[in-house]
Amino acid sequence: MIPGHFTYHRPTTLADAVALMASLGDDARPLAGGHSLIPMMKLRLAAPEHLIDLRRIAALKGVRRDGDSFVIGAMTTQHDLLASDEIAAALPILQEAARLIADPQVRYMGTVGGNVANGDPGNDMPALMMTLGASYRLESTSRVRDVAAAEFYQGAYATALEPGEILTAITVPAPPAGHGHAYEKLKRKVGDYATAAAAVVLTMSGGRVASCRIGLTNLADTPLLAEAAAQAVIGTSLDAAALTRAAAAARAIMTPAGDGRGPPDYRSHVGGIMVQRALVRAAARAK
Ligand SMILES: Cc1cc2nc3c(=O)[nH]c(=O)nc-3n(C[C@H](O)[C@H](O)[C@H](O)COP(=O)(O)OP(=O)(O)OC[C@H]3O[C@@H](n4cnc5c(N)ncnc54)[C@H](O)[C@@H]3O)c2cc1C
């Protein structure tokens, strides 16, 4: 339960942080809220020689509007998201999901950037960001690039982040006014990671689904975008047959691990149910 030896760095500017990342190389890891990294270090599953604490870098915090999008600084905490009136009005699904992450103590410290950069399939924000069509800004001393959330996740704890890069912001296009949304998360107890979870953002027109995106959490090594499941409901009134087809299409891409949350068959089964519940609830909210 005691981490290995490390050197602690506390830069106050992004330029200093990326310079440290460049000079210290593979032995350095950014530290955000510490609520995934520190437990991993205590278990000796991670042993970075240098921790670069991002908490003093004011430029990485906060939410701002940029045209039709919202830019969420990587060091914005889950609590900050919950306190944001702008997020409440335009991206309520982020608040619905943040409320289901862990407990208030974790939400006060844990950051949106850390949640999406971590690469843990159990994290809730990545599937949401894929559903919303978000992109991540990655910065190093040599370049700045934007990577779509849908292209960022390569495997469990494997992401598109390259050595020396820090994820600095998440850009989320605002969904259309009147959209319906829902995040359905099955968990064993309050504060737990998902056994299975589904995010839905849709629009309705004349009683039929006009557009739809569906994301899945903890049902594979990476978060998933369930594109065939979304296609199965577009143009329908979300009748029972369409919901059955959507669940089947979503289950077809799930490859969950068997663990303390249940065997793979059970997790895929409840994953399909989460998709159906999220679709129904999102449609009921659409205007
Ligand atoms: C009891 C408990 C229950 C939890 N339950 C849930 C849950 O239900 N759902 C959920 O989603 N999460 C859950 N978490 C995890 C929590 O949300 C973490 O806060 C989150 O996974 C990581 O965010 P962080 O800011 O703490 O990052 P850290 O732990 O500081 O970092 C995580 C990883 O990301 C890297 N990193 C962090 N920031 C950046 C950046 N800006 N650029 C590049 N790399 C970066 C770090 O180097 C590290 O490898 C739980 C945690 C605990 C302790």
Side-chain angles (χ1 to χ4, degrees):
M1 294 305 283
I2 298 173
H5 175 83
F6 60 88
T7 305
Y8 178 68
H9 305 263
R10 196 160 54 169
T12 54
T13 66
L14 179 59
D16 287 347
V18 289
L20 280 165
M21 289 288 288
S23 64
L24 298 170
D26 286 348
D27 296 330
R29 291 275 281 276
L31 174 68
H35 273 63
S36 288
L37 183 53
I38 303 291
M40 297 277 272
M41 290 171 64
K42 286 184 166 180
L43 293 168
R44 303 280 177 130
L45 294 172
E49 288 182 18
H50 298 271
L51 281 187
I52 301 173
D53 190 343
L54 306 178
R55 275 178 293 186
R56 286 268 177 107
I57 306 175
L60 295 181
K61 291 181 189 155
V63 177
R64 67 180 169 83
R65 181 124 203 175
D66 181 14
D68 289 338
S69 296
F70 287 86
V71 180
I72 303 171
M75 291 301 289
T76 304
T77 63
Q78 305 292 350
H79 172 76
D80 295 333
L81 271 194
L82 288 168
S84 165
D85 291 339
E86 280 189 303
I87 295 291
L91 288 161
I93 195 170
L94 291 185
Q95 292 197 338
E96 182 163 301
R99 246 179 239 113
L100 297 172
I101 291 179
D103 49 52
Q105 280 172 303
V106 173
R107 296 197 290 263
Y108 275 122
M109 295 293 288
T111 66
V112 184
N115 198 295
V116 301
N118 194 27
D120 181 342
N123 281 140
D124 289 291
M125 287 284 155
L128 284 158
M129 296 305 175
M130 288 167 61
T131 305
L132 290 163
S135 63
Y136 304 153
R137 175 147 292 195
L138 311 181
E139 300 193 39
S140 65
T141 49
S142 57
R143 66 173 171 167
V144 176
R145 63 189 180 117
D146 293 305
V147 175
E151 287 162 19
F152 184 76
Y153 300 97
Q154 301 171 344
Y157 298 99
T159 69
L161 271 170
E162 289 184 358
E165 284 183 328
I166 290 177
L167 189 154
T168 56
I170 299 124
T171 299
V172 190
H179 74 278
H181 69 276
Y183 190 59
E184 284 285 343
K185 176 174 174 177
L186 178 72
K187 45 191 179 165
R188 296 172 300 183
K189 61 181 178 63
V190 171
D192 195 17
Y193 290 88
T195 298
V200 168
V201 173
L202 55 68
T203 56
M204 301 290 289
S205 175
R208 294 188 176 269
V209 180
S211 68
C212 180
R213 283 170 73 95
I214 303 173
L216 305 173
T217 297
N218 224 5
L219 288 162
D221 276 355
T222 63
L224 298 172
L225 207 50
E227 290 171 289
Q231 284 304 321
V233 296
I234 292 174
T236 75
S237 58
L238 272 186
D239 53 282
L243 289 171
T244 301
R245 281 197 303 275
R251 285 187 184 115
I253 61 167
M254 296 175 192
T255 53
D259 60 18
R261 292 179 179 82
D265 285 355
Y266 165 75
R267 294 180 67 180
S268 292
H269 177 71
V270 293
I273 294 171
M274 293 304 105
V275 168
Q276 292 180 325
R277 287 186 185 169
L279 282 165
V280 170
R281 210 151 54 79
R285 283 170 162 169
K287 297 190 180 79

